[in-house]
Each structure stands twice: as C-alpha cells, then as structure tokens.
Amino acid sequence: MIRNFTITLFTLFFLVCCGGKSDSINTDLQSIDLDLATKGKFSDIFDSVKYILLDASEQNPLVDPYNVKIVENRIFVRDWNTNQLFIFDNKGLLEVVIDALGMGPGEYFQMNDFQVKDESVFILDFYLNKIIQFDFSGKFIQESKHQPDNNSLYLGQGYKLLYMGYNPDPERFNFIRENENGSEGLVEFEKEKDNIGNLNSHIGFMDDLHGDFVYYNIPYSTKVAVFDREDGNLSKTLHFDFGKYNAETRILKEEYETQVEVQTQRNLVLYLLAFFPFEKYFLTIFHQGAGHLHFVQLDKDLVVKSQIVDPENDLDQLSIYKIPWSFSENEVVYLSRTSNFYNDYINVFANQKVQLGNGDVHSFFNKYGDKLKEDNWMLIKFRVKNSFPN
C-alpha cells in the first residue's frame, strides 16, 4: 500500500530547508580484484554454526518473515504478510506478538520498518504517517508524527535517518537526515538511477556494535553509507570497485531475467548482498556471474585481507544459503524454511550413521524433526572468527 503523490507538504518543507550536499563528503573507493579470489572453506571464516527454530504459535503463525534483528538476548521478526512483530527469546521461544493493527491512536495499519532501542520497539507506519513505540511486552507507550514516505528508519539522539530509495522528488538523495533544525539530503545519486526501484531492505540501518558508526548497504549499488552515530551526519561513502566486472546502471534497470542473463554472460557483480561490521574486520558478501558467491574480509582500514569464492561448507555439509538475512555482534544470520532445511539434511545424510553432538546439526534435526517437516521458519547463525585465514 504505497501511495504516490505529485507533491507533499514534506516535499515543500524539504525544498525550503534542505541544504545538505553530499558532493563534499569523502568517498572511499575500494578496488577489489576478483581474479585474486581463492577457493576456501566456511571454517576459514566461521568457527561454528547454531540452529534456532522460530517456534511461533498456531494462533499467531509466522507467515512471511522479512526483517530479523537480534538485540542482546532477543530475536525480533517482522512479518511482511501479517504486519505483526514477533519477539522470541534467544532459543527461538515466542515471548510476545505485537499486532496493534488499526487506524486509531496506539495502533498501526502497516509496518514499513522497526527499530529496537532503549528497551522499546519503534514501528514505522508511513501510511498513517507516524512512529509508534511499544515496550517488549507489547504495551503501547507513545506515538509521534512522521511525514516522509520511506521504508527504512534510524532513530538517533535528536535526529532521524531515512532511506528514501531512488525517488528524485524533491532531489536526488538516497537518504535524508532530520533534526530540529530541518532536513538535508545525503548521498546524491545519478539521474540514470531515477526510480530504479523501491526495495525495502531486509537489513536496513546497521549499528556498529563495536564502534561509533551506523551503516547502510545501499540497494542497487556496490556502495555503503557510513553515518556518525552521535549526530547522524554522513561520515563517508564506501564504494567497492570491481573493475571489468562492474555492472552499468542500465543493466540494473532491465527486467530481472535480463539482469541475470547479462550478469552470467559477462561475469558481473550487480550489487552487494551484505556488508557487516564486526569487531576486527568488515565482511562483504556478493554474487558474481552465474551464482559465484564471494566472501571478502577487510580490516578496519579497508585493506582486503582475504577473498574466498564459492567456499565449501565444511561446518555442517549442507547447502550454502545465498543471501544473509541479518547479523549479530559476531554472527552472520541466515533465514530458512524448515522444510527446505529438512529436505537438504535428508539429501546429505540419508542412509548414513551419524553421531549426535551438543548443539550440532544432527542433534537439532533429531530434536525438531517433525516440526522441520512443516512450514515453519528457522535461523542459521554462523559465528565469525576473530582472525583472518592463513
């Protein structure tokens, strides 16, 4: 339910007050030679894997999970289909479902994004032009007006960061920063990307849990925006350059089937799948060509320390999930239907004698076998190492 306006009050306000120009902001161009990538194993990057069944109830089934955020000892999941917010404990047991659906005070009509902050959940509903705050028990606390139509939100101390996509109205900026003094546009995009897409990022704004920055992996690009957490100002933009394997903007505007065809024929990288800030390094993940999956580790000075392509999953021997769905302080998190996991396990370990280990894939399968056959959801969490491969 996305509304189209020719002009809004916010647009007028932006045209009057917007003074930010990202041209003067530093852009770090990081060149990566993909021909230097080597085959490797998951154990080069990760030291363990953990499985969590998201055990929702029959009364409130988890239908279409989209945003997954792991904050301390809780897992927060937005259901795209039902507009409910599920709160699980760190073992996947359901604690609360927030579903204050409606059009009145203390209610929301659709959930465009959410943020976990200060022991509260803030839900963005741009259809009703407001942000609603609940505590972890689902109790309504307060709401505030929110004019822009945007899909991703970050609430800082005295400011907001908004991801606006590639809408050229009123100006060509991917982001808007709002505070009591007005608004400014950040990260200007080229005219060729006008209205290229309105992707609702499943990861959104990322707090650096080991530093003072907020990151956003910009869709339809190989760029990452870096914001100062203290005031929300743009610190810099990271731009990954893959040389002869870069894709032209015109390719991104083609139909999906055409994109895949051209990407395969020319062995291109279209965009980043993920960029995660960990304690010792950054990890970026992307596809190249006909589904080749790259994992690149960069130190805090953005120096490439390892490049692994199409790694072998030697941790549990199951299929490698292509798109990371979230992250934690020290984990890359994937989302999977339990039925897909079940079938994959059967295909790999059928007719084999296996030994059950503490928390390993076999003990998880043995514990939840019947539920895995059903149409449930689960998380697979790979814990990153604190060092680079030798």
Side-chain angles (χ1 to χ4, degrees), residues 269-312:
V269 177
L270 299 185
Y271 41 74
L272 304 181
L273 295 176
F275 176 91
F276 295 133
F278 293 114
E279 182 178 8
K280 301 295 185 181
Y281 56 83
F282 300 110
L283 176 64
T284 186
I285 304 171
F286 51 88
H287 282 150
Q288 180 192 13
H292 297 296
L293 192 61
H294 288 259
F295 292 75
V296 178
Q297 292 172 297
L298 306 100
D299 66 17
K300 292 299 182 174
D301 294 320
L302 295 174
V303 175
V304 175
K305 306 302 289 188
S306 77
Q307 295 177 234
I308 296 176
V309 60
D310 296 332
E312 172 194 348

Side-chain angles (χ1 to χ4, degrees), residues 319-337:
S319 299
I320 294 178
Y321 298 90
K322 299 297 184 181
I323 303 177
W325 216 252
S326 186
F327 78 113
S328 71
E329 182 179 13
N330 58 1
E331 296 164 319
V332 174
V333 181
Y334 293 85
L335 175 70
S336 174
R337 288 187 180 274

Side-chain angles (χ1 to χ4, degrees), residues 81-358:
N81 183 283
T82 66
N83 283 297
Q84 294 173 309
L85 184 68
F86 291 74
I87 304 178
F88 300 90
D89 69 11
N90 61 0
K91 295 181 180 179
L93 298 178
L94 183 63
E95 293 185 341
V96 175
V97 177
I98 298 177
D99 58 353
L101 301 178
M103 306 283 280
E107 298 175 328
Y108 62 91
F109 184 66
Q110 67 180 27
M111 190 186 313
N112 299 97
D113 196 11
F114 73 93
Q115 181 178 347
V116 182
K117 176 186 176 185
D118 301 331
E119 297 297 314
S120 295
V121 176
F122 296 82
I123 292 176
L124 168 65
D125 181 347
F126 74 57
Y127 187 85
L128 296 181
N129 295 126
K130 63 182 180 180
I131 299 170
I132 311 99
Q133 181 183 359
F134 298 91
D135 67 16
F136 288 169
S137 71
K139 180 181 177 182
F140 169 73
I141 298 176
Q142 64 180 351
E143 61 182 49
S144 59
K145 293 182 179 180
H146 180 79
Q147 186 61 38
D149 292 350
N150 67 290
N151 282 326
S152 294
L153 169 75
Y154 183 86
L155 297 173
Q157 191 65 37
Y159 69 88
K160 296 179 188 176
L161 291 174
L162 317 173
Y163 175 68
M164 305 302 295
Y166 290 91
N167 182 0
D169 180 22
E171 294 189 58
R172 291 185 178 88
F173 293 105
N174 287 135
F175 302 92
I176 292 174
R177 174 181 172 273
E178 283 187 354
N179 63 14
E180 60 183 6
N181 297 319
S183 302
E184 62 175 334
L186 303 173
V187 187
E188 191 170 9
F189 61 88
E190 60 270 28
K191 178 177 174 56
E192 289 73 21
K193 285 194 173 181
D194 283 0
N195 300 311
I196 196 171
N198 190 30
L199 180 68
N200 193 332
S201 171
H202 62 279
I203 297 177
F205 288 96
M206 297 174 285
D207 256 317
D208 186 347
L209 303 177
H210 306 282
D212 300 320
F213 298 100
V214 176
Y215 298 87
Y216 199 98
N217 180 16
I218 303 175
Y220 307 106
S221 81
T222 57
K223 296 180 181 180
V224 177
V226 185
F227 303 91
D228 190 315
R229 187 190 294 121
E230 182 177 0
D231 54 21
N233 285 322
L234 183 67
S235 174
K236 60 185 174 182
T237 302
L238 308 179
H239 184 186
F240 292 92
D241 179 10
F242 301 107
K244 62 185 178 182
Y245 301 117
N246 287 330
E248 303 93 332
T249 298
R250 62 176 179 80
I251 298 173
L252 298 173
K253 303 190 81 168
E254 298 285 353
E255 295 293 331
Y256 176 74
E257 292 77 11
T258 303
Q259 289 185 32
V260 173
E261 181 181 355
V262 175
Q263 182 182 23
T264 300
Q265 290 175 349
R266 296 174 51 193
N267 209 24
L268 301 178
V269 177
L270 299 185
Y271 41 74
L272 304 181
L273 295 176
F275 176 91
F276 295 133
F278 293 114
E279 182 178 8
K280 301 295 185 181
Y281 56 83
F282 300 110
L283 176 64
T284 186
I285 304 171
F286 51 88
H287 282 150
Q288 180 192 13
H292 297 296
L293 192 61
H294 288 259
F295 292 75
V296 178
Q297 292 172 297
L298 306 100
D299 66 17
K300 292 299 182 174
D301 294 320
L302 295 174
V303 175
V304 175
K305 306 302 289 188
S306 77
Q307 295 177 234
I308 296 176
V309 60
D310 296 332
E312 172 194 348
N313 182 1
D314 58 334
L315 294 181
D316 63 14
Q317 285 77 55
L318 299 184
S319 299
I320 294 178
Y321 298 90
K322 299 297 184 181
I323 303 177
W325 216 252
S326 186
F327 78 113
S328 71
E329 182 179 13
N330 58 1
E331 296 164 319
V332 174
V333 181
Y334 293 85
L335 175 70
S336 174
R337 288 187 180 274
T338 54
S339 56
N340 292 342
F341 178 89
Y342 179 91
N343 292 332
D344 193 18
Y345 182 93
I346 293 298
N347 288 335
V348 173
F349 296 107
N351 302 319
Q352 293 187 32
K353 291 184 178 180
V354 299
Q355 292 185 340
L356 304 185
N358 184 23

Side-chain angles (χ1 to χ4, degrees), residues 55-63 84 86 94 371 374 376:
D55 203 2
S57 64
E58 293 184 2
Q59 295 76 18
N60 291 292
L62 187 57
V63 180
Q84 294 173 309
F86 291 74
L94 183 63
K371 285 190 174 182
E374 301 170 4
N376 296 311

